[in-house]
Amino acid sequence: GEDVEQSLFLSVREGDSSVINCTYTDSSSTYLYWYKQEPGAGLQLLTYIFSNMDMKQDQRLTVLLNKKDKHLSLRIADTQSGDSAIYFCAGRGGSQGNLIFGKGTKLSVKP
Amino acid sequence: EAGVVQSPRYKIIEKKQPVAFWCNPISGHNTLYWYLQNLGQGPELLIRYENEEAVDDSQLPKDRFSAERLKGVDSTLKIQPAELGDSAVYLCASSGSLNTEAFFGQGTRLTVV
């Protein structure tokens, strides 16, 4: 089955770019997702990318997908204090597959 | 449009007691998920429904956990009896017919003492 790995912590300064990385094992993963979780809250869907795409940009967010290496990244431009949260990478094998999550990367933004 | 609604937000019970969680998905969403999130971990799937049918319950501990979605809309997840190790956040999510985007509720934080 799918296994999703993420680094656990990332610290950046306000205004810098953040890059959160994720690797997955299932090459048949059709959709790959990034979710954001703030303390005490549920998961907020930030963006997702189809496996036939290499890049997707949405305002300050850029998702890069390297299918060969099974590597997904989320870049947040001009990181703000409100971006402090845990970011989860998730993969899904086809529309009937289940979402499989990584353990999350805690992003800390310093002034 | 209302998002996924879960209740209660918090629940504290003594071990061996029963507990139930309720979820109302986004209107029109056929797919409903229950996930378990332990502290410091990512969510793990417990059960997935397509309308009223449980299509994947392979990760649901059936000796003490049960779930239902009788009319294919809202759903209830029950634990009976609860154990100390069940303390976690229980998340509900739903997705529409294309099943590409899953939206989560705020979760229910369960503490078993």
Side-chain angles (χ1 to χ4, degrees):
Chain A
E2 177 77 280
D3 191 23
V4 179
E5 298 283 340
Q6 300 178 241
S7 53
L8 296 182
F9 302 99
L10 177 65
S11 180
V12 300
R13 293 213 172 272
E14 207 166 354
D16 288 349
S17 292
S18 307
V19 180
I20 303 171
N21 295 301
C22 167
T23 57
Y24 59 97
T25 57
D26 189 352
S27 58
S28 68
S29 288
T30 307
Y31 310 93
L32 294 142
Y33 302 82
W34 285 104
Y35 281 85
K36 176 184 180 182
Q37 187 175 37
E38 297 183 75
L43 275 71
Q44 174 193 354
L45 177 63
L46 289 177
T47 187
Y48 66 95
I49 188 168
F50 291 106
S51 60
N52 62 358
M53 297 169 65
D54 297 325
M55 185 183 86
K56 181 178 180 181
Q57 187 157 2
D58 184 1
Q59 299 182 336
R60 291 191 299 123
L61 305 179
T62 303
V63 179
L64 294 178
L65 174 61
N66 182 329
K67 291 184 286 294
K68 175 176 173 289
D69 294 337
K70 299 191 190 70
H71 182 267
L72 183 74
S73 67
L74 174 69
R75 178 177 180 270
I76 306 172
D78 187 25
T79 310
Q80 302 297 310
S81 58
D83 296 323
S84 293
I86 299 176
Y87 290 80
F88 290 96
C89 170
R92 181 204 297 274
S95 63
Q96 300 306 311
N98 295 319
L99 274 174
I100 305 298
F101 287 85
K103 292 187 177 181
T105 300
K106 184 174 183 179
L107 175 64
S108 298
V109 182
K110 299 183 177 180
Chain B
E1 178 183 317
V4 177
V5 178
Q6 292 187 245
S7 68
R9 284 296 313 278
Y10 305 93
K11 188 75 177 178
I12 301 174
I13 61 169
E14 293 184 342
K15 63 182 179 183
K16 300 185 182 179
Q17 294 303 305
V19 65
F21 315 124
W22 178 80
C23 172
N24 192 25
I26 293 172
S27 178
H29 280 193
N30 299 326
T31 306
L32 184 146
Y33 309 82
W34 283 103
Y35 279 85
L36 163 70
Q37 186 178 24
N38 286 304
L39 189 65
Q41 302 292 316
E44 299 171 16
L45 181 72
L46 289 173
I47 189 168
R48 181 175 111 230
Y49 282 93
E50 297 291 342
N51 298 303
E52 65 274 11
E53 182 183 358
V55 296
D56 187 348
D57 63 357
S58 57
Q59 303 303 310
L60 190 72
K62 298 181 184 64
D63 57 334
R64 297 185 301 107
F65 286 66
S66 64
E68 59 183 19
R69 192 185 185 200
L70 294 176
K71 295 183 179 178
V73 181
D74 56 344
S75 174
T76 304
L77 177 69
K78 297 178 181 177
I79 308 175
Q80 183 170 9
E83 297 179 353
L84 295 176
D86 296 331
S87 295
V89 176
Y90 292 82
L91 294 163
C92 179
S94 70
S95 59
S97 56
L98 294 178
N99 209 19
T100 52
E101 298 167 278
F103 298 95
F104 282 78
Q106 294 280 70
T108 296
R109 182 176 296 276
L110 173 68
T111 303
V112 182
V113 297

